[in-house]
Amino acid sequence: ASLFEKQFFPKFTAILKTWLSSSPNYNEVIMWYQGWKGLFPANLLHTPVVRTNFHHCLDLMNKAVSSTSSISHPGARETVLYFTSAERKGESDVTFRQAPLPTIPAVPPPPPPPPPQLSFKDVLVRHAQENNLIFVPLPGRYHEGKSLFKFGNCTLYLDKNVAYVQVHPNIFNPMSIAKLIEIART
């Protein structure tokens, strides 16, 4: 029992506190609590250390639903109060397995973050890799203040998501990626 008091319950309680502070679905909290408690043999559940720690967790659940922040979960307060009362009386195993808990709507998860935006240069890097072409900066070489790059057999610079390809000495024309790849291979 002292192993549980020193190792298991501090972590169990910390996780419960974190979960309760994030507007949880209280049905899930109760099921989680019951799942862990159900793993304990009956003789261990009746030891004062284990019983006291599980009762402390019930107190944390009661406190969480009694705060004003739980208002967004209709029925949460009643569900948790009923569960903790039945749990303290030792009736929860019978009551909560026979009768389903009232449904508390879960807070939907936040939408996934948008995929990272690729720069135009990153797009050219990918096209170069897919077509086995080199795409490297030309150190110390510039045109109108823009760095020059070697893309296959072409020299180019980038400006506002447009590739300007050298067609004659000091003459650069805008070009599509498809045309650039075609010319870079020759």
Side-chain angles (χ1 to χ4, degrees):
S2 67
L3 175 68
F4 287 105
E5 183 176 32
K6 292 177 182 167
Q7 296 295 318
F8 175 77
F9 280 108
K11 293 173 186 171
F12 183 80
T13 305
I15 291 168
L16 180 61
K17 284 179 182 177
T18 302
W19 197 2
L20 292 172
S21 69
S22 64
S23 299
N25 177 327
Y26 288 97
N27 287 333
E28 290 176 4
V29 173
I30 290 170
M31 298 298 281
W32 178 79
Y33 171 91
Q34 286 181 309
W36 278 104
K37 188 175 177 193
L39 295 174
F40 284 74
N43 63 336
L44 193 57
L45 283 173
H46 295 297
T47 61
V49 168
V50 173
R51 191 172 350 116
T52 301
N53 278 287
F54 274 119
H55 281 185
H56 174 66
C57 292
L58 294 173
D59 293 338
L60 291 173
M61 286 187 252
N62 277 332
K63 184 178 177 183
V65 295
S66 297
S67 71
T68 56
S69 62
S70 67
I71 300 300
S72 64
H73 300 284
R77 181 174 293 131
E78 295 78 10
T79 300
V80 172
L81 291 175
Y82 176 73
F83 170 73
T84 56
S85 173
E87 180 74 10
R88 287 184 195 279
K89 291 178 187 174
E91 301 169 2
S92 66
D93 291 339
V94 175
T95 308
F96 280 86
R97 285 202 174 91
Q98 290 177 350
L101 295 171
T103 303
I104 300 170
V107 176
Q117 293 292 332
L118 294 177
S119 70
F120 185 64
K121 184 178 171 185
D122 292 333
V123 171
L124 288 178
V125 167
R126 283 195 179 173
H127 281 289
Q129 290 170 340
E130 290 169 1
N131 290 281
N132 293 324
L133 298 168
I134 64 164
F135 181 56
V136 294
L138 298 173
R141 300 215 23 224
Y142 302 93
H143 179 76
E144 296 178 357
K146 307 284 185 196
S147 296
L148 293 178
F149 295 88
K150 191 72 166 174
F151 187 95
N153 295 327
C154 299
T155 301
L156 60 89
Y157 72 90
L158 307 175
D159 187 24
K160 298 180 182 171
N161 294 334
V162 176
Y164 290 86
V165 180
Q166 186 174 21
V167 291
H168 296 292
N170 280 342
I171 299 175
F172 290 80
N173 289 337
M175 193 171 293
S176 71
I177 294 174
K179 184 71 172 170
L180 172 61
I181 292 169
E182 180 185 324
I183 292 173
R185 288 183 176 165
T186 60

